[in-house]
Amino acid sequence: MSEQGARRGQEDDWWRQLYGEDGAEGREGAGGGGAAGDAAQSGAAPAAGAPTGAGPADVGPAEASDTLDERVASVLRTVGPPGWGDRPPPQPTPADAPDRAAPAGNAPPDETPPRAAPAPPDETPPRPEPARPAPPADETPTPGPVPPGEPPARRVPSPPPPPSEPIPLKATGPGARPREVARSAPPPAPAVTYIGDRPPTYEAEPAALPAADPAALDELVPDTALEGAQYGSLTLRAASQRGDSARYRGDVRRDALLTARFGAGRHALILVAVATGRPAVEGAHRAARDACGWIGGAVGRSYTQLAEDIRADRRGDLKAGLQRLTDRSYGKLRARALERGGPPEQYTAALRCLLLPADPDCRTRVFFGVGAGGLFRLRDGAWTDLEPVATDHGTPAPIPAPIPVTDAPARPGPGLPHGPGTAEYPARPEPFLFHAAFGRPGDALLLCSAGLADPLRQEPAFAAHLADRWSTPEPPGLVPFLATAQLRAKGHAKDRTAVAVWEA
């Protein structure tokens, strides 16, 4: 036998000893190739725990093969959750057995180190598993790799997390000190909506709308009108609204409000007119609107002279000129009544006006008018009634027959324009009223219709509430002014209009 054949036979004998193909007899005939024989030849003592003697126990058949499945199972037993890798790997079939043929080529067998057989699983002490953190309550543990031949585990959805408790807020930062009991702010005082022991009969809010004529929609009147301005040292607030009874019945507002500015700059003149039609009269709101419109047109055409008379404090000239303008306006009302075919004494209105120069150096405020209403001054928290005493006690004359038309030009009388409202048409139903007041800083001048003047004169609590609300360092805004002006009182359900001027 050649040297190469001897080496090949020794190599085949080594593989048979490793996998136990020829039994113990083959291993004994190999000349003591085990570990015990080596130890005996070298004179070294056997290792602790190793079987003594030259028996075949250390080179018997391997109980676990060194395959890829065994290595994966070992890794899973080490790093996976409990139970993974405990299942024994499937035994390889003869077709899957690895080829144990000798290495090809001329490489000597002594250059390839023999692989030692793996230790049996039952003789290897189990390694302690490292502690793994518990997964969060709202998360599902992610399983490791699925072993070969095993179906994937079914994922069970985790239950919804319980509702978390609210986190208490704590004050932080320098100077923050815990307080045992938080002091709550005092509740706001309830808004005063009426004066008296019990509320008024009608509701506070509008209930019914006025009836409308499809052919005269321009005659509709809104429930509430609001106006404001500021010129020089004065601040103006004006509001007009339906009374409680009109809101309940669906009647139109009979109070009319007009605010107009004529001119510009220091020479401008502001007119505020308030008119109230007769109660329970058809078209009373039209009469009030016509009265405001006609007096506004007359003042606008003469505003330059009127502003000059006010700055020069020529009160006699002012009174005479304004009385003429007022008479002319009432004459037009009576003429309009004749055109409509109604009685002239019903197509009329109470008219009250204020003239306010925009010049900051002029603080004279002029009032004039005819009919019921009120003029008050609020100074130092107290009201003063400035209603002037009537000096003109004239009564309207009967309407004469129409004047025949001639070609001769009409000649106006001294100081009076020709036409309605002149001597041919004496129309003023009540005495003419005139008053000029000087405004001091902090004063408030109030012009109002009868719907507000009556409770202001008759109800002390009503007057005190308005005085408290309007005696402020700064004038109120439009909305607060309206809220105060619509304060209700039992027995006073008329339309009401208020015009207030604050002096800076």
Side-chain angles (χ1 to χ4, degrees):
M1 180 181 295
S2 63
E3 182 179 0
Q4 182 176 1
R7 289 183 179 179
R8 185 175 183 88
Q10 294 177 2
E11 184 178 356
D12 293 342
D13 183 67
W14 183 85
W15 283 106
R16 284 192 298 270
Q17 291 179 10
L18 179 62
Y19 289 96
E21 295 179 1
D22 294 339
E25 292 80 8
R27 288 191 295 273
E28 292 177 357
D38 295 339
Q41 293 177 6
S42 61
T52 58
D58 56 341
V59 292
E63 296 182 9
S65 61
D66 187 15
T67 63
L68 178 61
D69 295 338
E70 177 58 26
R71 294 189 181 187
V72 170
S74 176
V75 172
L76 293 180
R77 282 195 303 269
T78 303
V79 300
W84 284 90
D86 294 342
R87 185 183 183 93
Q91 296 295 333
T93 58
D96 299 332
D99 186 10
R100 301 301 181 180
N106 299 327
D110 54 351
E111 295 181 3
T112 303
R115 292 186 298 177
D122 53 351
E123 295 182 5
T124 304
R127 298 180 58 185
E129 297 183 358
R132 298 174 57 84
D138 56 346
E139 295 184 4
T140 304
T142 303
V146 180
E150 288 289 332
R154 191 171 184 180
R155 187 164 184 168
V156 180
S158 60
S164 59
E165 296 293 334
I167 301 176
L169 300 180
K170 296 182 180 180
T172 58
R177 297 181 179 179
R179 293 182 297 178
E180 297 181 358
V181 179
R183 298 181 179 179
S184 58
V192 179
T193 59
Y194 66 90
I195 295 297
D197 298 336
R198 51 182 180 173
T201 305
Y202 302 104
E203 295 292 335
E205 300 299 330
L209 291 172
D213 184 1
L217 294 179
D218 56 340
E219 294 187 1
L220 292 176
V221 180
D223 177 88
T224 303
L226 195 61
E227 189 61 273
Q230 183 175 1
Y231 287 94
S233 60
L234 65 88
T235 300
L236 172 67
R237 298 287 183 264
S240 180
Q241 72 169 17
R242 279 196 300 170
D244 292 346
S245 60
R247 285 178 165 181
Y248 178 77
R249 297 187 176 94
D251 296 337
V252 68
R253 173 165 54 92
R254 294 182 294 108
D255 276 9
L257 173 65
L258 172 68
T259 55
R261 173 180 62 87
F262 304 105
R266 299 172 63 92
H267 302 284
L269 184 65
I270 301 170
L271 167 70
V272 184
V274 177
T276 303
R278 291 288 180 89
V281 174
E282 181 67 24
H285 65 285
R286 301 189 193 97
R289 185 180 59 184
D290 289 343
C292 289
W294 285 329
I295 194 64
V299 170
R301 287 186 290 269
S302 307
Y303 85 92
T304 304
Q305 184 62 40
L306 290 173
E308 183 62 29
D309 291 342
I310 293 174
R311 282 193 294 268
D313 198 19
R314 293 191 285 263
R315 302 192 179 187
D317 295 342
L318 280 171
K319 181 179 179 180
L322 293 174
Q323 183 174 346
R324 290 193 297 268
L325 297 178
T326 303
D327 289 344
R328 182 175 183 181
S329 298
Y330 274 97
K332 289 184 177 181
L333 282 176
R334 294 176 67 87
R336 177 63 61 87
L338 294 175
E339 294 175 2
R340 292 178 176 271
E345 62 273 10
Q346 292 188 359
Y347 197 82
T348 186
L351 179 64
R352 308 177 77 82
C353 305
L354 270 180
L355 291 178
L356 309 170
D359 188 352
D361 297 331
C362 181
R363 292 181 175 269
T364 302
R365 315 304 182 208
V366 177
F367 159 77
F368 68 96
V370 174
L375 179 67
F376 304 90
R377 180 181 61 202
L378 179 61
R379 177 179 292 176
D380 299 330
W383 290 106
T384 302
D385 196 341
L386 301 181
E387 186 74 10
V389 179
T391 57
D392 182 4
H393 298 281
T395 57
I399 301 176
I403 300 176
V405 178
T406 61
D407 294 335
R411 300 180 60 183
L416 291 177
H418 184 72
T422 62
E424 293 85 0
Y425 296 90
R428 184 160 30 90
E430 298 183 37
F432 177 77
L433 304 175
F434 176 86
H435 182 77
F438 181 81
R440 297 192 319 188
D443 287 356
L445 190 65
L446 176 64
L447 172 72
C448 56
S449 63
L452 185 63
D454 291 346
L456 196 59
R457 292 189 178 109
Q458 301 170 11
E459 304 289 343
F462 187 92
H465 182 80
L466 265 63
D468 179 68
R469 293 288 180 169
W470 290 344
S471 297
T472 55
E474 296 294 332
L478 290 178
V479 174
F481 175 77
L482 175 62
T484 304
Q486 63 184 3
L487 179 67
R488 306 165 68 216
K490 190 172 181 61
H492 302 279
K494 301 178 183 178
D495 297 348
R496 59 175 59 176
T497 302
V499 178
V501 179
W502 277 268
E503 302 287 347

